[in-house]
Amino acid sequence: MDKKYFNYSISMLDFLTNYVGIDAFIDEEALVNLSKATHKDIKELGIEYIKAIPFEAVTQEDILLGNILLVYDGKSTKRNKRIAPYIRPEILMLEKEENLKRGDDYARRIISKKNKE
């Protein structure tokens, strides 16, 4: 993945509050703790509609269209951003709602893209 796209990254806390809406479910102290969370911590929480994918499965188009969000975690520094690509939660929600209605499945395409190559 081209390093210039790292400029489009957002913090884990921004991702959780603005795209997942987690601030509606937890208190301020827990929110402060989440600002220090790593990608591994978030994975272990098992929050629905949060799915990280390998960089190899991400295209520039996915990032520019906002379908994939580049998120850096709480252990990141200015010199070393620990970034992981996440599927935009709305896509996973829509996929779940419409999975019965249509055969094309965007989230699954992104996740399995690497396996096809």
Side-chain angles (χ1 to χ4, degrees):
M1 178 56 51
D2 194 334
K3 296 274 187 201
K4 71 180 178 182
Y5 292 101
F6 289 178
N7 293 331
Y8 295 102
S9 64
I10 60 173
S11 72
M12 182 65 74
L13 188 58
D14 285 340
F15 174 67
L16 293 172
T17 56
N18 296 327
Y19 293 93
V20 180
I22 201 158
D23 54 331
F25 303 105
I26 60 174
D27 62 21
E28 192 171 323
E29 184 178 335
L31 206 55
V32 169
N33 289 334
L34 278 178
S35 70
K36 301 171 188 168
T38 64
H39 299 293
K40 182 179 178 184
D41 295 335
I42 297 303
K43 182 177 182 177
E44 288 175 358
L45 288 174
I47 302 170
E48 189 174 18
Y49 304 120
I50 294 182
K51 178 69 178 170
I53 61 171
F55 272 106
E56 295 81 22
V58 178
T59 66
Q60 293 176 1
E61 181 182 9
D62 290 329
I63 294 169
L64 295 175
L65 291 174
N67 296 329
I68 297 296
L69 303 168
L70 299 177
V71 180
Y72 60 89
D73 70 12
K75 299 265 182 177
S76 294
T77 63
K78 285 186 178 186
R79 292 185 61 205
N80 183 24
K81 281 193 176 180
R82 295 166 34 125
I83 296 175
Y86 286 81
I87 298 174
R88 187 183 192 104
E90 291 92 346
I91 292 173
L92 295 173
M93 288 179 218
L94 287 173
E95 181 221 359
K96 185 174 182 178
E97 290 172 10
E98 296 191 14
N99 199 23
L100 299 175
K101 295 179 186 175
R102 55 186 194 153
D104 65 329
D105 171 310
Y106 183 77
R108 215 168 269 139
R109 178 193 65 83
I110 291 174
I111 294 166
S112 67
K113 185 190 298 183
K114 183 179 178 188
N115 294 336
K116 292 180 182 177
E117 294 175 349

